[in-house]
Amino acid sequence: MATTAPTYHVPVLLQESVDGLHIHPGGIYVDVTFGGGGHSREILGRMDASSHLYSFDQDEDAERNAMADGRFTFVRSNFRYLKNWMRYYGVEQIDGLLADLGVSSHHLDDETRGFSFRFDAPLDMRMNQRGGRTAADIVNDYEEEALANVFYLYGELKNSRRIAATLVKARQQARIETTQQFLQAVEPLFRREKEKKDMARLFQALRIEVNHEMDALREMLAAATTLLAPGGRLSVITYHSLEDRIVKNLMKTGNVAGKVEQDFYGRVETPYRLVNNKVIVPSAEEQEGNPRSRSAKLRIAEKK
């Protein structure tokens, strides 16, 4: 069984997702969400000497978990640049790609990064701290309508317009720089019985916007579809409906929009064959031991 960097991140659906890659001798594999390295270590443990694994992560913290192994290459980059990096390394085709989407437990537990409402921290939320807008920049600089759209589209919050209006009013008094200031502004809008769930959605919406997660996911999946060799596998773990819909659409129709194209005989034209028609979810035992896994869904598809 693979291990992950201590306290960094507990890999979800570890055996099932790596089983889904159908690893074989001489194969080239990609883990686009390295994190603590749990999935990558499991993949390496099943590879032979002639295989190679490329693992992506844009976070400096994750890079510290990289393994010293001649069959392994760490790529510190957003996975949206998958195609460019594979070209850089001279890789024309890959035999399998694994993605464990969403935010890692490390980010949620890091009191300094602003990913969780459990701690008072700078409102940052950047996966890659080398540049780009922070969550504070978005909260303070976006127009009211743009803010409302972020909360509605990425947090699926019905009171998104009220939240946006409240934040605009609050920031006129003083710039909102910390998670605590953010919470103080919006807390009165949430019912006590649903407060934690809705607050999690609010933070999720900001995180997705900060890191351009949906655009990055679409670009990565399009690149994976081009790169996968016939018989190559795509093994993807999702945690919320937005990313799951994109992955499901791609695997069923060959495009992230879910647009069905049919041949002359009415057969759906798609480059993929579903390996599991029904999503795989963590066992009750795994969900008990790792609460983050409770919303996880695994989908696996094979390139035709």
Side-chain angles (χ1 to χ4, degrees):
M1 168 125 175
T3 57
T4 192
T7 72
Y8 191 97
H9 177 68
V10 179
V12 173
L13 288 162
L14 178 64
Q15 302 299 323
E16 297 90 337
S17 60
V18 179
D19 285 347
L21 292 178
H22 197 55
I23 293 169
H24 58 76
I28 296 176
Y29 300 94
V30 179
D31 175 0
V32 293
T33 48
F34 180 72
H39 288 105
S40 284
R41 285 181 175 85
E42 182 67 23
I43 294 168
L44 282 169
R46 303 189 192 190
M47 284 173 19
D48 70 350
S50 64
S51 301
H52 202 88
L53 171 65
Y54 296 88
S55 292
F56 284 68
D57 207 296
Q58 60 185 324
D59 198 315
E60 182 182 4
D61 291 350
E63 189 170 9
R64 299 189 187 106
N65 302 323
M67 292 84 72
D69 190 313
R71 304 169 300 160
F72 174 77
T73 299
F74 180 85
V75 183
R76 188 178 168 193
S77 176
N78 189 307
F79 59 45
R80 73 191 306 168
Y81 304 117
L82 169 67
K83 193 173 182 179
N84 293 350
W85 281 103
M86 291 298 95
R87 187 185 299 124
Y88 174 80
Y89 285 109
V91 175
E92 294 183 3
Q93 287 191 322
I94 61 175
D95 297 287
L97 183 144
L98 185 146
D100 179 9
L101 303 174
V103 63
S104 74
S105 48
H106 165 73
H107 288 129
L108 293 174
D109 293 337
D110 188 333
E111 298 183 22
T112 68
R113 302 284 292 271
F115 284 96
S116 173
F117 53 83
R118 290 178 293 149
F119 314 111
D120 188 19
L123 200 57
D124 192 318
M125 297 193 191
R126 289 172 300 166
M127 300 282 190
N128 180 0
Q129 293 190 297
R130 291 184 288 189
R133 274 193 300 240
T134 67
D137 292 332
I138 288 166
V139 168
N140 289 285
D141 300 340
Y142 272 28
E143 296 288 338
E144 185 176 321
E145 186 178 358
L147 264 183
N149 288 340
V150 167
F151 300 141
Y152 183 76
L153 292 173
Y154 298 149
E156 298 178 298
L157 290 158
K158 292 178 181 177
N159 61 340
S160 60
R161 292 192 179 280
R162 283 188 66 203
I163 296 169
T166 299
L167 287 169
V168 168
K169 188 175 180 181
R171 76 192 190 191
Q172 288 170 352
Q173 307 304 313
R175 188 173 168 86
I176 300 167
E177 297 283 7
T178 69
T179 54
Q180 197 59 43
Q181 290 171 329
F182 181 70
L183 287 173
Q184 285 173 352
V186 300
E187 243 172 349
L189 302 177
F190 295 101
R191 294 207 307 269
R192 186 66 58 186
E193 66 273 15
K194 290 180 65 182
E195 187 177 39
K196 281 190 177 180
K197 187 175 181 181
D198 286 343
M199 208 62 80
R201 287 181 170 186
L202 190 59
F203 271 64
Q204 169 188 291
L206 270 179
R207 190 200 79 228
I208 289 172
E209 178 69 8
V210 167
N211 297 289
H212 308 287
E213 291 179 30
M214 295 300 104
D215 289 338
L217 177 59
R218 292 184 188 98
E219 289 175 32
M220 182 273 288
L221 290 172
T225 302
T226 302
L227 286 164
L228 279 168
R233 294 284 188 90
L234 192 58
S235 181
V236 186
I237 303 166
T238 64
Y239 295 88
H240 58 77
S241 59
L242 300 172
E243 59 193 17
D244 187 58
R245 193 178 305 124
I246 289 171
V247 173
K248 181 170 67 173
N249 284 345
L250 179 90
M251 290 184 175
K252 286 191 171 182
T253 67
N255 61 82
V256 295
K259 184 180 178 182
V260 176
E261 295 183 3
Q262 298 177 322
D263 64 15
F264 180 77
Y265 299 101
R267 294 173 298 204
V268 176
E269 291 186 317
T270 171
Y272 288 108
R273 177 185 69 82
L274 295 178
V275 173
N276 59 318
N277 287 305
K278 188 177 179 183
V279 293
I280 298 168
V281 298
S283 65
E285 184 181 9
E286 180 174 359
Q287 291 184 45
E288 183 66 29
N290 182 9
R292 178 179 177 267
S293 72
R294 289 172 188 166
S295 59
K297 294 179 179 179
L298 170 63
R299 297 183 185 275
I300 305 164
E302 183 175 281
K303 185 82 173 288
K304 291 179 181 176

